[in-house]
Each structure stands twice: as C-alpha cells, then as structure tokens.
Amino acid sequence: MRASIEVADIFRAAGPAYRAARAGHLSLDQLKVMSAIETCRTAVMGGHVEACTDCGHWRVAYNSCRNRHCPRCQGAAARTWLAEREADLLPVGYFHVVFTLPAEVADIALQNKAAVYGLLFQAASETMTTIAADPKHLGARIGITAVLHTWGSAMTHHPHIHMIVPGGGLSPDGRRWISSRPAFLLPVRVLGKLFRRLFLTRLTALHEAGRLGFFGSLAQLADRRAFLRHLAPVRKKRWVVYAKPPFAGPETVLAYLSRYTHRVAISNSRLLRFDEGGVTFRYKDYRRSGADRQQVMTLTADEFIRRFLLHVLPKGFHRIRHYGLLAGATRKALLDQVRQLLGAPPATAEARAEPDDTRPPCPCCGGHMVVIETFERQRQPRAPPAPAPLPGTQAS
C-alpha cells in the first residue's frame, strides 16, 4: 500500500522552486537524484499494463527509478542483496561495531565526500583487522561487512560506518578457527586510539597532497597551519567506537543487515505531514531514553530537501564494502575453509531464487495478474478494450 506521504511528493511540489533558487549551487549528482525521485513510478519512466485473468480488472504499473537514494526503490534492492549474502553467513555469533567521525572532521568530509568517506572506510577497516590480528587480542584474520551512513535521525550530517563482524577468525596459519569471547570482540578504547591515529595521519597527507578542497566557512583551512590548528582538539578527543553484543544467529544477522545496507536518509514511513507549514516527521533523539526518545520535528520544505541532499554520494562510490575473509575473489574459498574447521555443512551452491511472479494479486478478486502491454518512457498506456456485448444484446 502506498504511504500517505512520500519524499517524492515533497520533491515534486517544492523541488522546482528549490532548484531555481539554487541554480548553479547544486551538484549534477544532486540534480540527478532529485529528478529520479520525482519521476520514480510515473509515466515518465514508462511501465506496463496488467490485467486479471479471472475478472478482467486492469491496472497500470510504472517503472521505478532504481536510484540508490530513492526511498521507494531500496526495499527490492535490499532483498536481492541479502539473498546473495545469505551463503556467506557462518554458524557463529556476529558483532555490530560502529566507527564515528567527530564533528570537526565531518565538516571537512561534507566538502570532500569521495576522499574523506573513502578514508573513513580505509581507516576503520584497517583498525579492525590490525587489532584483531594482534596476538594480545584475538590473533586472527577476521571478516567484515561495512556500510556507510552519513546521516543522523534528523537528517543532519553525521558520517559513520556500521560493521557486521563474525565472532572470531582464522589463525595466521589458516589451520584453526579462533573464537572471540561470547560477549566481547575487541577493546573499543584500543580501536578508537588506532582509528584516530590512522585517520588523522592520512587526512593530513591528503591535505599536503592538495587533494582536499575547502569552501565557504572552511576556506581558511586550505592553509596548512590553519588546517593543523583545526585538527588539534580532535587529536586529544576520544573517538567514538561502539560495539554491540552479538546477534542470536544467522537469521537475526540477515534481519539486522536489511535495516542498514540499503537505508536512505529518511524512509517514507517516518513522514507524518506535508503542508504549508512544512514537512513533519518522526526522529530519534539519542540524548533521551525510553519513550521520550521518539520525537517529532517540522522543517520547511526547502530545509527538508537541503538536508536530504546532504547525503547524496558521489557517482560510483561504494557504500557497502567487504574486508578480510569476506573480501574479493578469495571469499568463497576462505569461507568454505572456515566451515570445514567449524564442522558446519558447506554453503548451498544455489542462490535463493526470486519468485517467478512478484506482481501483487488482483485487488478485486485476488486473481492472477498478467502483463498485457508495455509502454516506453514519456508514453501513456492505451485505454483498456471495451467489454464484449453479452449474447442477445447489441453494442451501443
């Protein structure tokens, strides 16, 4: 069932004026995302006509935009991705680890998304694999699935990495599986210190190589001394690394991943109202606890769109990445080796198949719907054929 309010409704109503007022100040990627969301599942995208084989009821189904920032398109993408990942799951506990950038660095990241988000992935994954390989801690080669989120619950800019990590890893010689403690993977304070050092060292190297740009209120950071002064406080600050207790089992891991891998800045289900007063939506205030954590916020339409567009990623940037045992062409062989060491059955060779027909049933009688016509972009479907006259009557 269609949500009563969608991000697309807001973009269609307020997007043209927003683009006009900011002509020349929106990136091509942002403009493409706006256009995709506005035209998603409309006649602009083309589509097909379906008819019920039982009662003859027909309906028009428009194509989706499949843009990774579109709230309507991510459900199907998540289901496909999770079906492919199911074979990678191991019969062990899994941990959820979060690496967060401090606000002073997040400001730099907003103006240098590809470089700094890429560095965030690099520093966080290297921190995990380095500390895990240390014999003083786990002494093993671990696997990581990492997902980038750039937003807080109120759509403010808050870049952080979510990691799903099996509770253990392969020994250096590859002959043993070394399990972590039941409720403890790696010390978060140790992780935080190494993460801070790796990230700041490489961020400084990016600056010295001239690979960072600074605009507006951050323009002065182009000067090396001003840049180092800006980073001085965060060198002493504790960087937040958070580890949650392990999951109950592989099915729980899949369910958890589905809430993180293909999430966008805000889902349609959180939208409450859109009128002349602005956009009202639900969000979580993490400074509160219990029932008070759920709050309601109203933003002007322009501010809502501005916050949404903060989280548009550069073209080609991968926000889901795999490391260690889960990386690259060696993943399957290493996971098979781990299963053998754990005495677990091998992964099934067949991927989970998608149903042959995913079309919803007929809303009138519950019958089977079949495609009777397709139409291209910018075209409208033809009207349905007139019903045949009953025997003994004359068509008017």
Side-chain angles (χ1 to χ4, degrees):
M1 180 179 296
R2 186 184 186 275
S4 57
I5 308 167
E6 296 188 352
V7 171
D9 299 324
I10 301 164
F11 274 34
R12 290 180 194 125
Y18 185 87
R19 282 189 289 267
R22 290 157 183 80
H25 296 280
L26 296 175
S27 71
L28 180 60
D29 290 331
Q30 290 174 325
L31 291 171
K32 286 182 175 179
V33 168
M34 291 186 73
S35 176
I37 293 175
E38 289 170 8
T39 58
C40 184
R41 301 187 191 182
T42 68
V44 174
M45 302 299 294
H48 60 269
V49 180
E50 301 171 353
C52 178
T53 56
D54 294 332
C55 71
H57 173 81
W58 71 287
R59 67 184 171 207
V60 177
Y62 295 114
N63 294 332
S64 59
C65 67
R66 298 188 180 183
N67 189 286
R68 60 177 170 169
H69 301 90
C70 176
R72 295 193 75 180
C73 291
Q74 292 312 296
R79 288 191 294 272
T80 301
W81 186 88
L82 289 170
E84 295 170 350
R85 298 279 81 76
E86 186 173 13
D88 294 344
L89 291 176
L90 298 171
V92 299
Y94 279 72
F95 289 81
H96 177 198
V97 184
V98 183
F99 287 80
T100 301
L101 289 180
E104 296 88 342
V105 178
D107 292 340
I108 297 172
L110 186 58
Q111 296 188 1
N112 300 272
K113 291 181 177 180
V116 180
Y117 292 164
L119 178 54
L120 173 55
F121 269 114
Q122 183 186 61
S125 60
E126 187 173 331
T127 295
M128 287 291 293
T129 54
T130 299
I131 301 302
D134 190 335
K136 293 187 296 184
H137 300 293
L138 189 61
R141 182 182 180 186
I142 60 172
I144 300 169
T145 294
V147 184
L148 171 69
H149 284 186
T150 62
W151 54 84
S153 187
M155 294 198 299
T156 51
H157 187 240
H158 177 61
H160 54 287
I161 293 280
H162 293 271
M163 290 184 172
I164 307 299
V165 186
L170 272 178
S171 62
D173 60 9
R175 296 180 180 179
R176 294 181 298 119
W177 174 261
I178 301 175
S179 296
S180 66
R181 283 185 268 171
F184 180 84
L185 181 63
L186 296 168
V188 293
R189 286 185 177 272
V190 175
L191 293 172
K193 288 180 180 179
L194 179 58
F195 174 53
R196 179 182 62 192
R197 178 167 63 82
L198 290 175
F199 188 95
L200 290 178
T201 298
R202 291 168 187 178
L203 184 66
T204 302
L206 288 175
H207 187 278
E208 292 175 351
R211 293 179 56 193
L212 299 178
F214 300 97
F215 313 95
S217 61
L218 299 184
Q220 75 278 4
L221 298 186
D223 177 74
R224 184 175 184 276
R225 287 177 295 181
F227 178 77
L228 294 177
R229 283 197 302 271
H230 180 79
L231 294 184
V234 298
R235 294 184 185 277
K236 302 173 184 177
K237 182 184 297 186
R238 180 185 173 191
W239 285 36
V240 177
V241 178
Y242 178 66
K244 291 185 177 181
F247 301 102
E251 295 78 13
T252 311
V253 177
L254 279 178
Y256 199 84
L257 274 172
S258 69
R259 300 201 298 268
Y260 280 90
T261 52
H262 292 74
R263 185 180 288 182
V264 297
I266 188 168
S267 63
N268 290 326
S269 61
R270 289 172 53 199
L271 300 176
L272 301 176
R273 189 169 60 254
F274 173 44
D275 52 28
E276 63 278 0
V279 183
T280 302
F281 61 93
R282 294 192 307 272
Y283 76 102
K284 290 182 181 179
D285 185 346
Y286 290 97
R287 295 169 297 182
R288 302 170 183 254
S289 59
D292 289 340
R293 176 165 286 187
Q294 290 288 341
Q295 297 288 314
V296 173
M297 174 181 294
T298 299
L299 300 174
T300 65
D302 279 7
E303 176 61 11
F304 179 90
I305 294 174
R306 186 194 72 83
R307 291 195 188 189
F308 189 95
L309 295 179
L310 289 177
H311 311 292
V312 172
L313 295 176
K315 182 180 179 180
F317 187 90
H318 296 282
R319 64 186 181 95
I320 305 174
R321 305 186 185 189
H322 307 279
Y323 300 93
L325 300 179
L326 300 177
T330 61
R331 181 186 77 250
K332 184 179 184 302
L334 288 173
L335 292 177
D336 287 345
Q337 181 181 350
V338 169
R339 289 190 184 91
Q340 187 175 4
L341 291 172
L342 292 171
T348 55
E350 296 181 0
R352 179 190 293 173
E354 287 292 316
D356 293 334
D357 189 355
T358 57
R359 285 183 289 274
C362 174
C364 297
C365 68
H368 180 61
M369 303 291 287
V370 296
V371 176
I372 60 172
E373 179 191 350
T374 60
F375 52 95
E376 298 178 355
R377 290 169 176 257
Q378 306 290 351
R379 299 288 182 88
Q380 290 285 355
R382 293 174 296 176
L390 295 174
T393 63
Q394 184 176 357
S396 57

